């Protein structure tokens, strides 16, 4: 190796040692309360005023240092170099609002962190976050859905600027559609190919888009996986999502299902048996006349078809088991907010949250 590259590598190693020490020392300093003597309200303020950090960097250092200070095994592995400060940053993000679950699963996460590079570990940590706590995963999914938006503005030059944020399912569909309409000619940058694909979509060239989910049989039925690195509860191009999102997608979506047990693929597709046929769909929409949630009023064309007894528990795809729900109410039903109860006469009753 040339002298220059050795020097750079040494500096990187040195920086990592300093980062690790900083996390340890600052964690102890923040916990001691000594910062109050400098006339600030909290350790973040102290870092901004005396450490000259930006508010964002200060908040991140406080969060990561706090995690290291309160978790001995994390501190030990950071100290020995088995995990890096970047791994700690990922762990601290994943453990946010999951503090109790984290105490329980610290070893599992650290085992993964010490064997995986940061990028790979990020996916595992996201997966842990959605699988560790069903209720919190649903709450995160609800927030993600509520944040969906698309801003379109016409600029002074007459161009149209687009910016937005989509929930994981919506995002995965859009990414799949853009992929399907992209021509890989190798001359245009990816961003330009996506722009062309969006215009092609708008012009009415529609290739049917299906999404293959990757999910373990155990995860689907609510078991915590034995091995987080091989477990899957993922959407393509987006990564780990809440198990209930996958259950809802499996309920009614153009979705090629892939179930796995360990590394063995059990079942690919089975689209026909699970999805309502076009005739069944029309019959359900005509019978229900739109979303069945009282007061919703969403018309039939906005509705998903919901399986009352879930198909993964053996629920049949026949009219007695199918109901029309608009997308937001379909999400709410799968997250257990609205409860649907079938009365003896076969009609359905919606019980508010
Ligand atoms: Zn459903
Ligand atoms: Zn509705």
């Amino acid at each position: 190796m040339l002298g220059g590259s050795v020097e750079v590598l040494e500096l990187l190693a040195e920086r990592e040692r300093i980062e690790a020490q900083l996390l340890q020392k600052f964690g102890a300093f923040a916990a001691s309360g000594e910062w109050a003597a400098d006339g600030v309200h909290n350790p973040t303020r102290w870092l901004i005023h005396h450490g000259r950090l930006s508010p964002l960097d200060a908040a991140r250092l406080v969060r990561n240092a706090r995690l290291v200070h309160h978790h001995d095994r994390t501190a030990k592995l950071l100290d020995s170099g088995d995990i890096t400060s970047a791994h700690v940053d990922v762990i601290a993000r994943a453990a946010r609002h999951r503090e109790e679950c984290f105490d329980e699963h610290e070893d599992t996460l650290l085992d993964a962190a010490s064997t995986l590079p940061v990028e790979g570990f990020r996916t595992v940590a996201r997966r842990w976050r959605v699988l560790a706590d069903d209720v919190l995963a649903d709450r995160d999914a609800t927030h993600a859905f509520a944040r969906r938006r698309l801003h379109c503005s016409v600029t002074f030059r007459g161009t149209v600027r687009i910016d937005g944020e989509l929930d994981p399912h919506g995002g995965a569909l859009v990414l799949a559609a853009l992929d399907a309409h992209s021509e890989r000619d190798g001359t245009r940058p990816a961003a330009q190919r996506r722009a062309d694909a969006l215009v092609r979509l708008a012009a009415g060239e529609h290739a049917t888009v299906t999404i293959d989910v990757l999910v373990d049989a155990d995860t689907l039925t609510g078991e915590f996986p034995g091995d987080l690195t091989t477990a899957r509860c993922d959407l393509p191009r987006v990564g780990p999502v809440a198990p209930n999102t996958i259950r809802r997608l499996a309920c009614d979506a153009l979705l090629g299902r892939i179930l796995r047990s360990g590394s063995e693929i059990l079942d690919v597709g089975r689209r026909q048996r699970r999805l309502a046929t076009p005739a069944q769909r029309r019959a359900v929409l005509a019978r229900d006349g739109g979303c069945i949630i009282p007061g919703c009023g969403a018309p039939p064309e906005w509705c998903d078809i919901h399986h009352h007894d879930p198909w993964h528990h053996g629920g049949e795809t026949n009219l007695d088991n199918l109901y029309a729900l608009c997308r937001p109410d379909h999400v709410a039903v799968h997250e257990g907010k609205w409860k649907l109860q079938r009365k003896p006469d076969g009609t359905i009753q919606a019980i508010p949250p």
Side-chain angles (χ1 to χ4, degrees), residues 251 306-307 330 334:
C251 196
H306 169 66
H307 286 63
H330 196 194
H334 277 269

Side-chain angles (χ1 to χ4, degrees), residues 290-298 303 324-330:
C291 180
I292 61 167
I293 297 296
C296 169
C303 288
L325 287 171
C326 71
R327 178 63 53 80
D329 284 329
H330 196 194

Side-chain angles (χ1 to χ4, degrees), residues 29 46 70 80 111 135 140 151 203 229 282 297 310:
F29 175 72
W46 189 91
H70 289 292
S80 63
D111 287 346
V135 177
D140 287 350
H151 301 288
T229 54
R282 274 197 305 276

Side-chain angles (χ1 to χ4, degrees), residues 122-337:
R122 232 173 94 87
T123 308
V124 169
R126 280 178 59 200
R127 189 170 300 128
W128 170 77
R129 200 175 152 81
V130 297
L131 296 176
D133 187 316
D134 274 4
V135 177
L136 290 176
D138 284 348
R139 202 194 58 188
D140 287 350
T142 306
H143 284 165
F145 191 63
R147 285 170 64 88
R148 71 197 188 284
R149 61 190 193 278
L150 191 70
H151 301 288
C152 304
S153 47
V154 179
T155 69
F156 191 72
R157 276 176 297 165
T159 59
V160 176
R161 180 175 280 274
I162 299 175
D163 177 47
E165 185 169 344
L166 298 172
D167 63 287
H169 174 215
L173 269 176
V174 169
L175 290 177
L178 292 179
D179 252 12
H181 291 80
S182 281
E183 281 163 11
R184 252 164 266 279
D185 54 15
T187 57
R188 292 165 300 163
Q192 210 165 65
R193 283 204 310 270
R194 279 196 294 274
D196 293 345
L198 182 63
V199 172
R200 211 170 287 137
L201 267 166
E205 288 174 38
H206 294 298
T208 308
V209 171
T210 57
I211 291 188
D212 289 323
V213 290
L214 210 49
V215 62
D216 302 278
D218 283 354
T219 310
L220 203 55
T221 49
E223 305 267 324
F224 191 81
D227 182 352
L228 271 178
T229 54
T230 58
R232 290 291 180 274
C233 189
D234 296 15
L235 289 181
R237 302 176 184 83
V238 169
V241 294
N244 262 340
T245 300
I246 299 268
R247 290 183 196 115
R248 171 175 58 81
L249 292 182
C251 196
D252 175 43
L254 285 175
L255 172 96
R257 181 170 56 108
I258 301 180
L259 278 184
R260 310 182 335 150
S261 172
S263 59
E264 194 187 343
I265 290 182
L266 292 180
D267 179 3
V268 180
R270 212 183 68 167
R271 217 165 273 155
Q272 286 315 319
R273 232 181 84 196
R274 180 172 51 77
L275 281 182
T277 64
Q280 280 176 323
R281 181 174 289 270
R282 274 197 305 276
V284 171
L285 294 176
R287 180 196 65 198
D288 294 343
C291 180
I292 61 167
I293 297 296
C296 169
E301 56 271 25
W302 295 358
C303 288
D304 290 343
I305 302 292
H306 169 66
H307 286 63
H308 180 60
D309 298 319
W311 63 272
H312 59 268
H313 287 311
E316 301 266 336
T317 302
N318 60 38
L319 293 185
D320 300 342
N321 192 38
L322 301 176
Y323 297 94
L325 287 171
C326 71
R327 178 63 53 80
D329 284 329
H330 196 194
V331 172
V333 165
H334 277 269
E335 287 171 0
K337 296 201 187 88

Side-chain angles (χ1 to χ4, degrees), residues 72-84 110-111 113-114:
D72 290 342
R73 196 161 168 241
T74 305
K76 208 171 279 170
L77 290 190
L78 180 67
D79 197 44
S80 63
D82 287 305
I83 63 172
T84 66
L110 288 175
D111 287 346
S114 55

